[in-house]
């Protein structure tokens, strides 16, 4: 007999007992003023005309009635065949309850005893939940609060392997070693080696940390527990620690196994030693996690795999060898890595012969794996929307523009004046980008509204960059100021618009980081003004008011001096900027090559429209037959 059947039978038995208890008190169901009288007094009252009406229940000897004064009574009658005649002779209204369905008694009893049934049911449920929550341990939490929320995945249920991971070969290689240990531990143990107890995956969002964890789950052929760091922390102090204990107890029972804690910074943040106080619940949870990973009792056969994009805020005790022995950095893929990632994501996509994934990879520097997956999906959706049977290179280009610049706002109409002002603003950015030797090449310039912008200049680096020089940072500030400078030169200081708000924000951010983060200010010096959690120490105990004012002065100087230089460049190249703006108003979108031709004073050759290689395969169309076919 299973657990559900036992529960159902228990409830049926309980309800039956309650109805047996309820039956003797049936008279009380009618109300607290119900009077029980003998049969002789009942007949006397009938003869005296004091009875108004009676209710005779079939298959029972009990009669319920009402006196002339409205009071209710009950009596038990013998087998008297003349009783009904005497009632009718004395003009007593006689009602008969057939009792065929028995619903009257059932409903009445249910209404009377429902609160008691509800209370008893809640007590039974609470006791069972409390037992489950404690997990058989003293000091557990009721209602299952202290139980871990980790999901256990069996290897057969995970369909992601290392073949689905591309572009991060170094990280994949280190994790393959852990999988090899789980499959053949004697290979490493025969020389005295010990597999790392913990592996920390570090990298920016979208670079494949969680995907690597899924691949390990699919390759290792061992139980895999998955949980988020935020699942440990609750309002009640001690709940998170109890969940950590419960999770590791389950993991030890299924060892060898892997425990994956995603976003571990939610629970592993550095403990606060200052007088400001800390989070007792989070710190107790972290303490328990430290003990479970490497405490007095050895934790054999359980490998902890964690992921975070904020390793700088993690507690040092958590990062030491013996807990997290390895830190694997999952970086943005290079061009070759991006090409491999694209090949993985286009496996289920029907591609046109003109699609060159190497070209797509070259034009997407700085894209993460998640962004590349989104790019492929957007290209497929665009092709389907245009009723194509395959995805073409043109779809990839349009999808790239959509991912980088946002979707076109075709419903938005701009006046001629707004269009002209936007064209000159974007041409200012483009002009300065061409004049700055360290600026990234222009990919596209458009005055078609996309996302939250009325226009945009997109620049893409020619190759992947590991670091950025001071000259490049100053060039980026000047390019950002180009739009505002163009507005002022061509339309006057009184007609400048709010369109440069994001440009000013970007330039200020770069300048501030140059001063307080990268030590590129001679007056401020080579200093960092960030605390251990990555927050700017503005006018705090560690930064004086004088230093804070000096920082603001240096940031202001960097931005203002860049603006002055840009304004002079715009005045010197006024005719070239105007040529770009006119062509932009005419065509609305210019490629980087076209902008360069206009800048050099050359005429744009009319670009011949290339025929879509799959035009003949539009949905609903019939392919043209070859002349050589019979």
């Amino acid at each position: 007999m299973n657990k559900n059947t036992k529960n159902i039978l228990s409830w049926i038995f309980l309800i039956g007992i309650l109805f047996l208890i309820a039956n003797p008190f049936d008279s009380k169901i009618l109300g607290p003023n119900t009077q029980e009288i003998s049969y002789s007094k009942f007949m006397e009252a009938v003869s005296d005309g004091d009875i108004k009406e009676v209710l005779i229940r079939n298959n029972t000897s009990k009669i319920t009635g009402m006196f002339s004064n409205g009071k209710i009574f009950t009596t038990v009658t013998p087998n008297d065949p003349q009783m009904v005649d005497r009632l009718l002779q004395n003009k007593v209204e006689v009602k008969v309850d057939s009792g065929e369905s028995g619903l009257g008694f059932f409903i009445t009893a249910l209404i009377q005893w429902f609160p008691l049934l509800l209370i008893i049911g809640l007590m039974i449920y609470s006791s069972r939940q409390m037992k489950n929550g404690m997990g058989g341990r003293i000091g557990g939490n009721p209602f299952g609060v202290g139980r871990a929320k980790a999901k256990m995945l069996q290897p057969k249920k995970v369909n992601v392997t290392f073949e689905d991971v591309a572009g991060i070969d170094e990280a994949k290689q280190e994790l393959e070693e852990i999988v090899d240990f789980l499959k053949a531990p004697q290979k490493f143990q025969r020389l005295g080696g010990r597999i790392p107890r913990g592996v920390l995956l570090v990298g920016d969002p979208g670079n494949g940390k969680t995907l690597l964890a899924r691949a390990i789950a699919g390759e290792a052929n061992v139980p895999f527990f998955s949980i988020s760091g935020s699942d440990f922390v609750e309002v009640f102090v001690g709940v998170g620690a109890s969940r950590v204990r419960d999770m590791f107890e389950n993991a030890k029972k299924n060892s060898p196994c892997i425990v994956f804690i995603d976003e571990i910074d939610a629970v592993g943040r550095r403990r606060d030693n200052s007088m400001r106080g800390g989070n007792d619940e989070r710190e107790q949870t972290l303490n328990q996690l430290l003990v479970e990973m490497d405490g007095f009792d050895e934790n054999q056969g359980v490998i902890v795999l964690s992921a975070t994009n904020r390793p700088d805020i993690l507690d040092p005790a958590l990062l030491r060898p013996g807990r997290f022995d390895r830190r694997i950095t999952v970086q943005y893929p290079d061009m070759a890595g991006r090409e491999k990632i694209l090949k993985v994501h286009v496996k289920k996509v029907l591609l046109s012969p003109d699609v060159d994934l190497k070209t797509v990879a070259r034009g997407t520097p700085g894209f993460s794996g998640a962004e590349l997956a989104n790019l492929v999906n957007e290209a497929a959706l665009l092709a389907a929307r245009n009723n194509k049977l395959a995805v073409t290179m043109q779809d990839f280009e349009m999808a790239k523009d959509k991912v980088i610049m946002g979707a076109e706002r075709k419903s938005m109409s701009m006046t001629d004046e707004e269009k002209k002002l936007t064209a000159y603003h974007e041409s200012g950015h483009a002009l300065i980008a061409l004049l700055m030797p360290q600026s990234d090449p222009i990919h596209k310039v458009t005055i078609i509204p996309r996302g939250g912008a009325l226009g945009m200049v997109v620049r893409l680096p020619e190759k992947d960059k590991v670091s950025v020089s001071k000259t490049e940072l100053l060039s980026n500030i000047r390019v950002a100021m180009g739009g505002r400078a163009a507005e002022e030169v061509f339309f006057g200081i009184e007609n400048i618009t709010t369109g440069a708000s994001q440009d000013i924000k970007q330039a200020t951010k770069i300048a501030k980081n140059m001063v307080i983060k990268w030590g590129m200010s001679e007056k401020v010096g080579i200093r960092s003004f960030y605390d251990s959690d990555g927050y700017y120490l503005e006018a705090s105990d560690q930064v004086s008011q004088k230093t804070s004012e000096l920082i603001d002065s240096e940031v202001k100087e960097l931005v203002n001096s860049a603006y002055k230089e840009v304004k002079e460049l715009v005045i010197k190249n006024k005719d070239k900027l105007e040529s770009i703006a006119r062509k932009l108003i005419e065509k609305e979108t210019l490629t980087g090559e076209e902008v360069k031709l206009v800048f050099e004073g050359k005429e744009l050759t009319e670009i011949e429209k290339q025929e879509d290689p799959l035009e003949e395969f539009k949905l609903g169309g019939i392919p043209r037959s070859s002349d050589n076919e019979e």
Side-chain angles (χ1 to χ4, degrees):
M1 186 179 296
N2 58 30
K3 185 177 180 180
N4 292 330
T5 306
K6 290 181 180 179
N7 291 337
I8 293 173
L9 293 177
S10 299
W11 278 104
I12 294 175
F13 178 76
L14 178 62
I15 293 173
I17 293 297
L18 289 174
F19 275 116
L20 290 176
I21 296 174
N23 194 41
F25 298 98
D26 184 61
S27 60
K28 296 182 180 179
I29 296 175
L30 300 174
N33 297 324
T34 302
Q35 180 182 0
E36 293 186 3
I37 61 175
S38 63
Y39 182 71
S40 58
K41 289 184 178 181
F42 166 68
M43 296 310 299
E44 289 178 2
V46 171
S47 301
D48 295 339
D50 295 332
I51 304 298
K52 181 179 180 181
E53 63 180 10
V54 296
L55 173 64
I56 301 175
R57 293 177 178 172
N58 197 12
N59 298 326
T60 180
S61 59
K62 181 174 289 188
I63 292 179
T64 304
M66 178 187 296
F67 288 110
S68 299
N69 58 7
K71 293 185 178 181
I72 306 297
F73 70 91
T74 60
T75 185
V76 179
T77 66
N79 188 12
D80 186 358
Q82 299 179 354
M83 179 185 66
V84 177
D85 294 334
R86 294 175 64 182
L87 291 173
L88 295 175
Q89 291 175 3
N90 288 278
K91 299 181 179 180
V92 177
E93 185 179 356
V94 179
K95 297 179 180 179
V96 179
D97 183 6
S98 63
E100 291 179 358
S101 63
L103 291 176
F105 167 74
F106 178 79
I107 294 174
T108 306
L110 184 61
I111 294 174
Q112 179 72 16
W113 291 95
F114 179 75
L116 182 60
L117 287 171
L118 183 61
I119 293 173
I120 294 175
L122 288 175
M123 292 175 62
I124 295 174
Y125 178 79
S126 300
S127 63
R128 290 184 176 181
Q129 290 297 104
M130 184 177 295
K131 182 178 179 181
N132 292 336
M134 291 182 178
R137 302 186 306 270
I138 299 175
N141 295 297
F143 303 105
V145 174
R147 301 184 67 184
K149 298 182 180 180
K151 298 178 182 179
M152 180 177 175
L153 302 177
Q154 294 296 338
K156 296 180 179 179
K157 295 184 178 180
V158 182
N159 54 5
V160 179
T161 63
F162 282 135
E163 294 182 358
D164 301 312
V165 180
I168 42 178
D169 296 336
E170 293 82 3
K172 186 168 67 173
Q173 183 178 357
E174 291 201 48
L175 293 174
E176 285 176 345
E177 182 179 320
I178 295 177
V179 174
D180 291 341
F181 177 84
L182 291 170
K183 291 181 177 179
Q186 64 278 1
K187 173 183 175 181
F188 299 86
Q189 292 174 344
R190 65 185 180 88
L191 297 178
R194 179 182 60 84
I195 197 68
R197 295 182 180 179
V199 178
L200 183 64
L201 300 176
V202 178
D204 292 328
N207 278 346
K209 300 185 295 296
T210 306
L211 181 63
L212 276 172
R214 292 177 184 171
I216 293 175
E219 293 277 358
N221 199 30
V222 295
F224 187 90
F225 292 86
S226 176
I227 192 171
S228 172
S230 59
D231 289 334
F232 291 113
V233 183
E234 288 286 352
V235 177
F236 308 104
V237 177
V239 173
S242 178
R243 288 178 176 174
V244 172
R245 286 193 298 269
D246 187 75
M247 181 185 69
F248 275 91
E249 284 184 8
N250 292 332
K252 291 174 184 176
K253 293 177 183 177
N254 294 276
S255 64
C257 67
I258 297 174
V259 174
F260 175 59
I261 306 176
D262 199 5
E263 304 297 341
I264 195 173
D265 49 89
V267 67
R269 185 186 293 268
R270 182 183 290 106
R271 288 166 287 188
D272 194 352
N273 296 323
S274 65
M275 299 300 293
R276 293 177 293 179
N279 188 319
D280 291 337
E281 160 63 3
R282 182 177 54 79
E283 290 186 3
Q284 286 196 23
T285 306
L286 174 59
N287 292 336
Q288 187 64 42
L289 181 62
L290 296 176
V291 172
E292 293 291 343
M293 290 187 68
D294 186 24
F296 191 79
D297 296 329
E298 286 196 16
N299 187 15
Q300 296 291 341
V302 178
I303 298 176
V304 179
L305 183 68
S306 297
T308 181
N309 50 30
R310 303 177 66 189
D312 53 305
I313 67 171
L314 294 179
D315 194 277
L318 189 64
L319 299 176
R320 73 160 176 81
R323 292 194 174 106
F324 284 113
D325 301 287
R326 287 188 182 180
R327 178 187 295 190
I328 300 176
T329 302
V330 186
Q331 299 178 343
Y332 283 98
D334 55 13
M335 191 180 73
R338 291 194 297 273
E339 185 179 357
K340 293 178 182 178
I341 293 173
L342 288 170
K343 288 180 180 179
V344 170
H345 291 300
V346 299
K347 287 181 179 179
K348 298 181 180 179
V349 178
L350 184 60
L351 297 179
S352 165
D354 70 326
V355 174
D356 185 3
L357 294 181
K358 188 173 183 179
T359 303
V360 177
R362 186 184 298 112
T364 52
F367 273 49
S368 65
E371 289 172 327
L372 292 171
N374 185 44
L375 174 66
V376 173
N377 185 60
E378 288 290 345
L381 293 178
L382 285 171
R385 192 176 299 125
N386 294 324
N387 295 327
K388 296 180 180 179
L389 291 179
V391 182
T392 64
M393 194 66 182
Q394 182 184 7
D395 296 320
F396 274 98
E397 286 297 323
M398 295 176 64
K400 183 171 65 174
D401 291 343
K402 184 177 181 181
V403 172
I404 296 175
M405 299 185 291
E408 290 186 10
R409 297 162 62 186
K410 297 181 180 179
S411 60
M412 182 179 181
S413 59
M414 296 173 60
T415 64
D416 292 340
E417 188 64 26
E418 289 175 334
K419 191 174 182 181
K420 179 180 179 182
L421 196 146
T422 303
Y424 276 85
H425 180 101
E426 301 304 332
S427 298
H429 290 304
L431 175 70
I432 303 304
L434 291 171
L435 293 174
M436 292 294 105
Q438 295 295 326
S439 173
D440 292 327
I442 298 175
H443 169 66
K444 189 169 291 187
V445 182
T446 180
I447 56 173
I448 298 175
R450 287 178 176 268
L454 297 179
M456 192 174 297
V457 175
V458 180
R459 296 179 298 151
L460 295 177
E462 294 179 332
K463 57 182 181 180
D464 299 310
K465 296 182 179 180
V466 179
S467 60
V468 183
S469 66
K470 183 178 179 179
T471 304
E472 291 177 279
L473 294 172
L474 291 174
S475 297
N476 291 334
I477 294 177
R478 295 187 182 102
V479 173
M481 292 289 98
R484 167 59 66 85
E487 289 184 18
E488 183 177 346
V489 170
F490 283 91
F491 301 99
I493 187 66
E494 66 280 356
N495 292 320
I496 58 175
T497 67
T498 59
S501 60
Q502 289 298 321
D503 301 331
I504 297 172
K505 182 178 179 180
Q506 179 185 3
T508 305
K509 183 178 179 181
I510 296 174
K512 192 170 186 178
N513 283 332
M514 289 176 66
V515 175
I516 67 175
K517 191 174 183 179
W518 300 319
M520 295 182 179
S521 170
E522 295 182 1
K523 293 182 179 180
V524 176
I526 305 175
R527 292 181 59 188
S528 176
F529 295 89
Y530 286 90
D531 62 9
S532 56
D533 291 335
Y535 295 105
Y536 173 45
L537 300 171
E538 186 174 8
S540 64
D541 296 338
Q542 302 181 39
V543 180
S544 65
Q545 184 66 31
K546 184 178 180 180
T547 303
S548 182
E549 292 175 357
L550 180 60
I551 290 172
D552 291 338
S553 175
E554 282 293 280
V555 173
K556 180 180 178 181
E557 176 62 25
L558 282 172
V559 177
N560 287 348
S561 61
Y563 183 74
K564 290 179 182 178
E565 294 176 14
V566 167
K567 188 176 176 182
E568 292 176 0
L569 289 173
V570 170
I571 295 173
K572 289 180 181 179
N573 298 274
K574 194 174 180 180
D575 54 339
K576 294 182 179 180
L577 191 150
E578 198 164 7
S579 299
I580 298 173
R582 286 203 205 98
K583 188 61 66 174
L584 195 57
I585 293 173
E586 177 187 342
K587 300 189 66 174
E588 292 189 335
T589 300
L590 296 174
T591 64
E593 292 79 5
E594 291 173 334
V595 174
K596 190 173 181 180
L597 287 174
V598 176
F599 176 79
E600 294 172 353
K602 300 178 182 179
E603 291 293 332
L604 294 181
T605 57
E606 193 66 27
I607 301 176
E608 298 181 0
K609 183 180 179 182
Q610 296 180 355
E611 183 180 358
D612 187 351
L614 292 182
E615 185 67 29
E616 57 183 299
F617 293 102
K618 296 286 187 180
L619 291 180
I622 301 176
R624 296 192 298 269
S625 59
S626 172
D627 295 335
N628 296 328
E629 288 185 358
E630 297 180 357

